[in-house]
Amino acid sequence: MKRFPRMLFKDRRISTTISNINRNCLNADLKAYKKLMERIVQVDKHGTVLMMQIENEVGLLGGTRDFSAEASKLFEQQVPAELIKYIRNNLNKLKSGISAPYISNGSKTRGTWEEVFGKSPNTDEIFMAWNYAKYVNELSKAGKAIYNLPTFVNAWDASGGNLIPGVWPSGGPNYLMLDIWQAGAPDIDILANDNYSPTFGLSAANFVHNENPLLLPEACAIWMNDTISAAPKAFFCFGHFKAMGFSPFGIDHPTYHSNHSIKKAYEVLDNLSPLI
């Protein structure tokens, strides 16, 4: 905890998630990620590595935000001017979960997180998303300086209804927080949709926002016996959303062996690739 502190829940319990504001945590990630990129430069002689995924469904599960002393002190400070400027310059393009609380709290040009966005779990997640975006952006920027590959961060999608951040990883690049990530992480090329939703099309549509291209690095929950939807979902993503890419979860799983329909679907999509 001293060297690599983990986030605290509101009741002071220690989470399993490392801090997204502690420099030791970021430096350790930077060291590992830069070594990985250096290794890819050595071995990727034919350019077969297309993109880099940084982190996996990043965020804090079980709480709306980090309640450690360091994070709470930062939460009570001014919202960074960089974020305020982005919000004001793009106000008519933002998702309502960002623009509505900003406007209803007076469209302030400065103030603490709760003064600017109000006191709510949504504000907690906005704070978390900003810190995650800045953290991951440093990784992307450092990696591109070694090998200039596109980068993406994938999201455990936020659930609907009356659920609150922490049910999904709070602060991750879910559709509610896309604006905050686009403001704080300009060196991330794609905010990607891990899509296991029963309303598949709606979840995908939520990620097509302010020129964020649709990429689905995970789809089709094989653990829920969703074994035949991969092929139609692939066609739907490319045809309807002009997706950058689609991948069923666990493409190496036995369910996709033998004569699964995904093979013929990919053959057709391969033939269509010049048009796509």
Side-chain angles (χ1 to χ4, degrees), residues 220-233:
C220 312
I222 52 177
W223 58 91
M224 296 174 66
N225 296 316
D226 181 6
T227 59
I228 61 170
S229 71
K233 285 176 178 174

Side-chain angles (χ1 to χ4, degrees), residues 97-246:
I98 306 300
S99 61
Y102 177 74
I103 293 168
S104 66
N105 282 279
S107 301
K108 295 181 176 68
T109 56
R110 63 190 309 274
T112 67
W113 292 88
E114 289 188 343
E115 287 171 346
V116 172
F117 297 106
K119 186 178 179 65
S120 72
N122 184 55
T123 297
D124 288 356
E125 183 166 34
I126 291 171
F127 169 77
M128 290 287 283
W130 176 256
N131 291 324
Y132 269 121
K134 299 299 285 185
Y135 183 110
V136 178
N137 194 67
E138 286 208 40
L139 291 165
S140 181
K141 196 170 184 177
K144 286 181 176 181
I146 297 167
Y147 192 13
N148 191 21
L149 290 174
T151 56
F152 72 92
V153 185
N154 58 322
W156 175 333
D157 204 0
S159 303
N162 296 318
L163 302 178
I164 63 172
V167 174
W168 59 85
S170 180
N174 62 71
Y175 77 94
L176 298 168
M177 295 294 124
L178 290 183
D179 294 307
I180 305 302
W181 276 80
Q182 288 183 323
D187 291 289
I188 298 289
D189 298 283
I190 303 174
L191 304 172
N193 174 210
D194 287 355
N195 193 337
Y196 302 108
S197 173
T199 52
F200 181 86
L202 178 60
S203 179
N206 282 332
F207 278 79
V208 182
H209 177 65
N210 285 352
E211 299 184 5
N212 182 57
L214 182 64
L215 171 68
L216 292 92
E218 295 184 26
C220 312
I222 52 177
W223 58 91
M224 296 174 66
N225 296 316
D226 181 6
T227 59
I228 61 170
S229 71
K233 285 176 178 174
F235 282 116
F236 182 58
C237 289
F238 290 114
H240 189 70
F241 292 111
K242 299 180 174 64
M244 285 286 292
F246 172 86

Side-chain angles (χ1 to χ4, degrees), residues 17-124:
T17 306
I18 64 167
S19 169
N20 61 5
I21 59 172
N22 181 273
R23 194 72 208 184
N24 282 351
C25 296
L26 177 56
N27 285 342
D29 261 358
L30 280 167
K31 181 178 180 181
Y33 187 62
K34 288 194 288 187
K35 284 290 185 184
L36 173 61
M37 297 305 292
E38 289 167 2
R39 178 61 178 162
I40 292 172
V41 169
Q42 291 175 353
V43 300
D44 189 30
K45 302 302 183 185
H46 300 289
T48 55
V49 180
L50 303 179
M51 289 187 286
M52 296 300 295
Q53 175 187 306
I54 306 180
E55 313 295 355
N56 179 62
E57 296 184 346
V58 70
L60 174 65
L61 271 175
T64 57
R65 71 169 173 89
D66 181 6
F67 282 87
S68 67
E70 295 81 8
S72 293
K73 182 179 179 181
L74 199 59
F75 187 69
E76 291 161 6
Q77 292 177 8
Q78 301 285 302
V79 175
E82 178 186 356
L83 177 56
I84 297 283
K85 181 180 178 181
Y86 182 91
I87 288 174
R88 293 179 70 83
N89 288 346
N90 296 277
L91 196 55
N92 62 349
K93 298 192 296 183
L94 303 180
K95 287 184 177 282
S96 61
I98 306 300
S99 61
Y102 177 74
I103 293 168
S104 66
N105 282 279
S107 301
K108 295 181 176 68
T109 56
R110 63 190 309 274
T112 67
W113 292 88
E114 289 188 343
E115 287 171 346
V116 172
F117 297 106
K119 186 178 179 65
S120 72
N122 184 55
T123 297
D124 288 356

